[in-house]
Amino acid sequence: PNRAHDCFSHLGVAKENSVICDLSLKTQPQQKLAIEKREAGDFLKLDVQEPILCRRYIAGIMLDIKVGPSPSWMQERLMATNQRPINNIVDCANYAMLELGQPLHIFDMDKLNPVKIVVRRAKEGEQIVTLDNKEYKLDKSMLVIADSGPPAGGPIAIAGIKGGKKKEIDAKTKKIIIESANFEPANIRKTSQKLGLRTGASVGFENEIPSALAMDAMERVMALIQETAGGKIVSGKIDFYPKKFKSG
């Protein structure tokens, strides 16, 4: 259990093996990306109301993407790890999570009006329909990702566990918000147990993923999406990170 946060990914296992076997670790070079030199803050506002439960929240923006099937090599690798291919955007997020160990979530930006994300506790009795069309009743101990209206903002994801149906990626999606965050482990575990909802993301966060990993995963998933869905990456990202992680 004390190595779980290192070994819940292919890269983590490779790092462990490289140390044990005294081998050099080979990583893929970053490819050249099409960049839109703007700030994510030009498109999106972020309000993190629970900094103890949300230790870091990075929001990245991509424009002019084209949703479709992911390439066969990606689908084959996902199916080999019991992941059902959905589309190139969702598949890239799942692929990056399996590769690096950082859960990610992606929202359709055009479905948020105004374009604002709020990280807050759920209201008592608040409900959400998740991506698999299941409805969950929430309580104020749980952390959610919410929009801000109109008329009143509701949950669009159960933080660190499962995305909601309202802002999901579909065939018409052109602009996306990518979430790469870090959540407090005990709260994720308790919420998962209360709801009876256990996911790859919740298992990862329960085991305290390093917050420093969030930016690596953001850059990796953006590169994968551009490779499989085209589009442009907005260069500046929103990075709420009040208490920096120190290694060593």
Side-chain angles (χ1 to χ4, degrees):
N2 66 318
R3 305 309 300 166
H5 63 285
D6 294 326
C7 293
F8 277 160
S9 68
H10 287 79
L11 181 61
V13 172
K15 284 180 176 179
E16 290 292 303
N17 286 337
S18 71
V19 173
I20 292 167
C21 301
D22 194 23
L23 298 170
S24 61
L25 180 68
K26 295 180 181 179
T27 56
Q28 292 181 328
Q30 181 73 285
Q31 57 262 59
K32 195 172 182 179
L33 304 175
I35 300 294
E36 178 82 15
K37 290 186 177 181
R38 295 179 67 182
E39 295 295 323
D42 296 340
F43 300 87
L44 169 71
K45 302 302 178 188
L46 174 66
D47 179 14
V48 178
Q49 299 179 1
E50 296 290 336
I52 293 175
L53 300 183
C54 180
R55 299 170 171 180
R56 188 177 192 183
Y57 194 102
I58 305 173
I61 305 290
M62 289 189 69
L63 310 171
D64 302 326
I65 62 160
K66 186 175 180 180
V67 178
S70 55
S72 57
W73 63 264
M74 182 175 284
Q75 292 193 34
E76 289 166 4
R77 292 181 183 185
L78 289 171
M79 288 187 288
T81 55
N82 295 319
Q83 291 278 341
R84 179 174 63 90
I86 297 172
N87 58 52
N88 48 1
I89 308 303
V90 176
D91 291 356
C92 284
N94 287 332
Y95 189 93
M97 178 183 73
L98 292 166
E99 185 179 73
L100 301 178
Q102 168 70 46
L104 299 149
H105 191 70
I106 303 178
F107 303 102
D108 185 324
M109 190 164 73
D110 287 327
K111 293 179 181 178
L112 276 81
N113 184 24
V115 187
K116 182 177 180 179
I117 284 177
V118 183
V119 184
R120 60 167 173 82
R121 288 182 184 269
K123 299 170 185 175
E124 197 68 35
E126 205 166 28
Q127 295 182 336
I128 184 173
V129 176
T130 52
L131 289 165
D132 53 1
N133 293 307
K134 294 181 180 179
E135 188 170 334
Y136 293 90
K137 188 174 182 180
L138 310 173
D139 65 45
K140 61 184 179 182
S141 72
M142 301 172 181
L143 191 69
V144 297
I145 313 301
D147 63 11
S148 58
I156 59 175
I158 307 169
I161 299 178
K162 191 83 172 179
K165 190 79 176 172
K166 289 197 297 183
K167 315 299 179 185
E168 72 174 333
I169 305 301
D170 59 34
K172 296 179 180 178
T173 300
K174 298 296 181 189
K175 298 181 233 176
I176 57 173
I177 300 167
I178 304 170
E179 169 192 290
S180 185
N182 188 275
F183 301 108
E184 198 275 325
N187 183 262
I188 297 296
R189 183 175 62 254
K190 289 174 183 177
T191 299
S192 176
Q193 290 172 345
K194 277 186 178 181
L195 296 176
L197 179 58
R198 191 168 174 82
T199 63
S202 69
V203 170
F205 284 123
E206 285 176 17
N207 286 276
E208 195 155 15
I209 297 165
S211 55
L213 184 60
M215 188 59 80
D216 292 340
M218 174 65 74
E219 292 174 353
R220 177 59 172 151
V221 75
M222 283 182 154
L224 285 168
I225 290 172
Q226 193 166 88
E227 180 182 346
T228 61
K232 293 180 180 178
I233 296 167
V234 173
S235 57
K237 302 170 184 67
I238 296 175
D239 188 1
F240 174 84
Y241 196 8
K243 190 176 180 180
K244 300 291 189 293
F245 172 82
K246 293 182 180 179
S247 62

